[in-house]
Amino acid sequence: MKNQPLGGNEMPRFAGPGTMMRLPAAASAAGLDACFIGVPLDIGTSNRSGTRFGPKQIRAESVLLRPYNMWTRAAPFDSLQVADIGDVPINTFDLKDSVRRIEAFYDDVLQHDVRPLTLGGDHTLTLPILRSMAKKHGPLALVHVDAHADINPHMFGEDIAHGTPFRRAFEEGLLAPEHVFQIGLRGTGYTAEDFDWARERGFTVVQAEELWHRSASPLMAKIRESLGDRPVYLSFDIDSLDPAYAPGTGTPEIGGLTTIQALEIIRGCHGLSLVGADLVEVSPPYDPQGNTALLAANLLFEMLCVLPGVTYRV
Ligand code: MN
Ligand code: MN
């Protein structure tokens, strides 16, 4: 019998453990097929802060999650051993030291044959995760869902910030650029050519407007066909969704994806060789109803449901 989320008939949902989905906590990733990890980082943000509280609030809203997916029939806890291995002890006084600490933490996690699902935290955290992932898998394919390209050369003169991770990842050779898909980009730019830097390097950019009034499923079918069985990392910024659905974030942009399109995108990753995923930029101080964290908790469950090796009850 694999680890199971603690059920609502064993302990009221408003009580009991504070882990993701009320799963058992584990001290390391040893013996796990997938694990949840919190990265309580917000010192890489450029506007509203508060994502340091993201992991704790996502876990709090995850108490309502039950173990089966009622549409896809995924039963992740039938076949995968899953636990919450806690938070990365970042240095909240030093962003660069935090980035080093995150990389070292994931180096340790990835010694095991485990797929980490990360609760953010601002988007800076994806760079050290990709550094660690690339050591194990080589240059990665990437599905990056975001309102922003996060390819700034610098922010206020700094190399490392939440708007630069994919620029640095490209420069460091962590990505296979022809296998990078950026979905949901929109809003205002510093120049009209901001997204072209990515296109010129081989990334596929799908702006939010290209998905207005339509399903994201055909796009995901194309991405699956294009990526085949390459190792893929999924990085999902909650601000890819419209602020109507996800107001609790630091750099909101209007005209974004719907919750339904977010589900289509993540469910559309079923069949990819996902090596890990993150859900970033949930800022609880701007999320007074908890809806953004609730959405994030559900999207993380959906990510778990599409990992390789998950079985389905059909
Ligand atoms: Mn981002
Ligand atoms: Mn963003």
Side-chain angles (χ1 to χ4, degrees), residues 123 144 146 148 150 162 166 237 239 280-281:
H123 221 155
H144 168 212
D146 202 323
H148 311 98
D150 292 351
H162 78 153
F166 302 106
D237 186 327
D239 71 28
V280 299
E281 298 284 351

Side-chain angles (χ1 to χ4, degrees), residues 23 42 92 125 183 185 190 203 215 220 231 241 284:
L23 282 160
D42 65 3
T92 200
L125 63 87
I183 304 170
L185 278 53
Y190 284 102
F203 295 13
S215 167
M220 297 312 295
L241 278 89

Side-chain angles (χ1 to χ4, degrees), residues 164-188:
T164 67
F166 302 106
R167 182 78 161 230
R168 297 289 93 80
F170 170 82
E171 291 169 350
E172 294 176 21
L174 311 179
L175 301 174
E178 68 279 23
H179 302 305
V180 173
F181 294 84
Q182 295 188 296
I183 304 170
L185 278 53
R186 62 186 187 274
T188 50

Side-chain angles (χ1 to χ4, degrees), residues 75-199:
F77 306 104
D78 281 7
S79 54
L80 300 187
Q81 183 71 321
V82 189
D84 186 331
I85 65 167
D87 291 332
V88 178
I90 58 128
N91 175 355
T92 200
F93 304 106
D94 187 329
L95 181 58
K96 287 189 166 71
D97 185 39
S98 293
V99 164
R100 281 190 290 273
R101 285 162 171 262
I102 296 164
E103 183 178 346
F105 191 100
Y106 282 79
D107 284 350
D108 188 52
V109 165
L110 293 177
Q111 288 177 23
H112 307 284
D113 187 19
V114 65
R115 291 176 166 82
L117 299 173
T118 300
L119 291 59
D122 76 59
H123 221 155
T124 312
L125 63 87
T126 303
L127 177 64
I129 294 175
L130 289 174
R131 285 175 174 165
S132 189
M133 287 275 172
K135 282 178 227 170
K136 182 166 181 171
H137 300 288
L140 293 150
L142 175 72
V143 177
H144 168 212
V145 190
D146 202 323
H148 311 98
D150 292 351
I151 53 166
N152 290 291
H154 302 97
M155 296 185 87
F156 220 80
E158 295 291 329
D159 293 341
I160 304 288
H162 78 153
T164 67
F166 302 106
R167 182 78 161 230
R168 297 289 93 80
F170 170 82
E171 291 169 350
E172 294 176 21
L174 311 179
L175 301 174
E178 68 279 23
H179 302 305
V180 173
F181 294 84
Q182 295 188 296
I183 304 170
L185 278 53
R186 62 186 187 274
T188 50
Y190 284 102
T191 73
E193 296 81 33
D194 279 2
F195 300 153
D196 293 343
W197 181 91
R199 292 188 177 104

